[in-house]
Amino acid sequence: MMTVRVGLGNRGYAIDIGPCSRALLRECNKSASGTRQVVVIADRAVARLHLADLLTYLPQDSLVLTFAPGERSKSLRVVGRLFDQLAEARIERGAVIVTLGGGVAGDLGGFVAATWLRGVPFIQVPTTLLAAVDASVGGKTGVNLPAGKNLVGAFHQPEAVIVDTNFIKTLKYREFVSGLAESVKQAVVRDAGFFDWHRSQADAIVEREPKVISELIARNCTLKAAIVEQDEREAGLRAVLNYGHTIGHAIEHLLEYELRHGECVGLGMLVENEIAVARGMLGRGTADAIRDLLQRFRLPAGLPRALAAEDVCAACRVDKKVRAGAIGFMLVSGLGAPCRVADVTNAEIAAALRVVQPR
Ligand SMILES: NC(=O)c1ccc[n+]([C@@H]2O[C@H](COP(=O)([O-])OP(=O)(O)OC[C@H]3O[C@@H](n4cnc5c(N)ncnc54)[C@H](O)[C@@H]3O)[C@@H](O)[C@H]2O)c1
Ligand SMILES: [Zn+2]
């Protein structure tokens, strides 16, 4: 078992990585009166695979609420249904919510926890690599509106995060590498040594060797925790994690979610690196090393279909990180060297986009 602490004073918490049994029992028995009422909010597909296992470590009277897998469940409609179910079961302040699933379960269940009775504690059990390395650290919760992603939400730190690496084994390969793209992103912006570690451990990573996956998750959580500790509410530093995301989000949106988020972030890094290389900020060798690593993980090297450059530019502009019309990018000038650039032009984007267009 490895533990990473997120140091946020009285909102701090531990991320336990390893078999989840003991950690879960300990967390559920934390209240003064002994056991607490436990409500599990679970992705239905994950529940089918792993709920029985989880329930053996939870009180017998735990209430289990499920939702259909997929991004569409991150909606006010599903939140409303979950509220009704909590009301019907008379769930009180002393209860704890356990979210089981990927980033959708964490964001949706975390938002319910943040708002039910003005906030109850919650424990995240992330079951995708993306959620384990990224979404479950930092307390961002929320849902989508028809007008856009993550428009409604709250910062609500979990009481604990418990990552059972056994759960990661049942992920489809595409879901798995989608998480790996975020891991590469985090290494590129924050830790050159961790980037090299990905290269040296690439085979073991792809084979999902439990020890290597635990280390990968722990190192990511440590990096993200350090950022969250300095910038809990995303006032500044946390923006370095947007590397690969301005183009990535645009591609994700234009392809109508045909590719997974991490796959789009991988493509976003390729395009954004080209912008940096063309500006003379980033060496070709580093850009190639990043591309080679992404390809070793069999992340997409190109778009499944051509996208018009003007559509990509327009989509970058509607990204909510755009302030006052200028397209701000978080580029890198080397491994571990993020660099904010405020004035990227449409022509630069169009030129860089060619590297990922289908030939
Ligand atoms: N809060 C944050 O800081 C943050 C950060 C990044 C992403 N996110 C959010 O996370 C979401 C994406 O998360 P995701 O990629 O985990 O998606 P997801 O939760 O939809 O999970 C992806 C798919 O994998 C399946 N799955 C999950 N765990 C599994 C397992 N162990 N075995 C087999 N199948 C499993 C799910 O049923 C689903 O179909 C987005 O909504 C995004 O906005 C939030
Ligand atoms: Zn991301």
Side-chain angles (χ1 to χ4, degrees):
M1 177 79 82
M2 295 189 203
T3 301
V4 175
R5 275 215 62 84
V6 184
L8 287 171
N10 59 5
R11 278 170 291 102
Y13 50 96
I15 302 169
D16 285 309
I17 303 149
C20 75
S21 47
R22 251 191 335 182
L24 200 54
L25 280 172
R26 183 196 67 216
E27 290 301 327
C28 290
N29 290 325
K30 238 178 177 176
S31 78
S33 60
T35 55
R36 301 188 275 184
Q37 168 78 59
V38 174
V39 180
V40 181
I41 296 184
D43 174 313
R44 207 166 289 146
V46 180
R48 226 172 280 132
L49 293 165
H50 301 298
L51 183 65
D53 195 17
L54 194 81
L55 285 177
T56 57
Y57 305 110
L58 294 176
Q60 284 205 328
D61 64 348
S62 297
L63 173 69
V64 177
L65 307 177
T66 63
F67 62 85
E71 188 71 28
R72 283 168 64 95
S73 285
K74 246 177 75 172
S75 68
L76 289 175
R77 185 182 52 81
V78 176
V79 168
R81 202 241 309 147
L82 292 168
F83 282 159
D84 289 340
Q85 290 173 313
L86 293 173
E88 197 180 325
R90 297 179 198 282
I91 298 302
E92 297 174 359
R93 271 256 171 79
V96 59
I97 289 177
V98 175
T99 62
L100 176 71
V104 167
D107 281 12
L108 170 71
F111 181 66
V112 168
T115 46
W116 177 248
L117 304 178
R118 299 197 179 83
V120 295
F122 84 116
I123 298 168
Q124 298 223 42
V125 182
T127 63
T128 62
L129 188 62
L130 184 126
V133 302
D134 187 357
S136 66
V137 189
K140 278 209 262 175
T141 73
V143 296
N144 307 324
L145 294 182
K149 262 189 73 140
N150 300 326
L151 287 180
V152 176
F155 283 96
H156 187 53
Q157 299 294 343
E159 208 174 59
V161 178
I162 298 162
V163 189
D164 189 327
T165 42
N166 280 321
F167 294 174
I168 305 289
K169 286 184 194 153
T170 56
L171 269 183
K172 291 196 181 109
Y173 188 77
R174 273 185 76 188
E175 298 292 351
F176 174 70
V177 285
S178 185
L180 273 186
E182 297 283 7
S183 180
V184 172
K185 171 205 78 177
Q186 191 136 248
V188 170
V189 286
R190 296 291 283 179
D191 186 344
F194 188 35
F195 180 83
D196 291 338
W197 179 88
H198 281 87
R199 294 212 287 191
S200 65
Q201 301 293 326
D203 293 337
I205 292 172
V206 171
E207 293 298 322
R208 301 186 221 185
E209 282 182 16
K211 261 184 70 183
V212 174
I213 295 302
S214 294
E215 184 173 351
L216 181 134
I217 293 170
R219 289 181 79 159
N220 272 291
C221 291
T222 304
L223 287 173
K224 184 147 182 204
I227 291 177
V228 169
E229 283 162 12
Q230 289 174 62
D231 183 18
E232 188 182 357
R233 290 186 166 247
E234 210 170 309
L237 177 65
R238 205 159 159 173
V240 299
L241 299 177
N242 291 333
Y243 166 60
H245 278 66
T246 305
I247 295 289
H249 280 146
I251 291 174
E252 192 175 9
H253 172 75
L254 292 170
L255 291 176
E256 293 167 340
Y257 299 92
E258 185 182 318
L259 291 183
R260 299 296 304 151
H261 172 72
E263 294 176 318
C264 297
V265 171
L267 291 170
M269 287 190 266
L270 296 177
V271 175
E272 294 182 13
N273 284 349
E274 287 308 308
I275 297 174
V277 169
R279 287 186 162 221
M281 280 171 55
L282 175 68
R284 169 58 58 198
T286 306
D288 287 350
I290 296 169
R291 185 202 57 209
D292 291 349
L293 182 61
L294 294 172
Q295 290 188 0
R296 194 140 166 217
F297 292 145
R298 284 185 275 134
L299 278 152
L303 290 164
R305 56 189 161 85
L307 291 177
E310 33 309 359
D311 293 343
V312 175
C313 296
C316 288
R317 288 186 182 283
V318 298
D319 195 48
K320 68 178 187 301
K321 276 123 204 158
V322 173
R323 293 209 175 90
I327 307 189
F329 274 81
M330 187 58 68
L331 303 178
V332 292
S333 59
L335 296 173
C339 183
R340 190 199 298 272
V341 171
D343 55 350
V344 175
T345 64
N346 286 3
E348 286 179 277
I349 296 172
L353 198 61
R354 289 194 200 111
V355 287
V356 296
Q357 291 287 19
R359 283 166 227 283

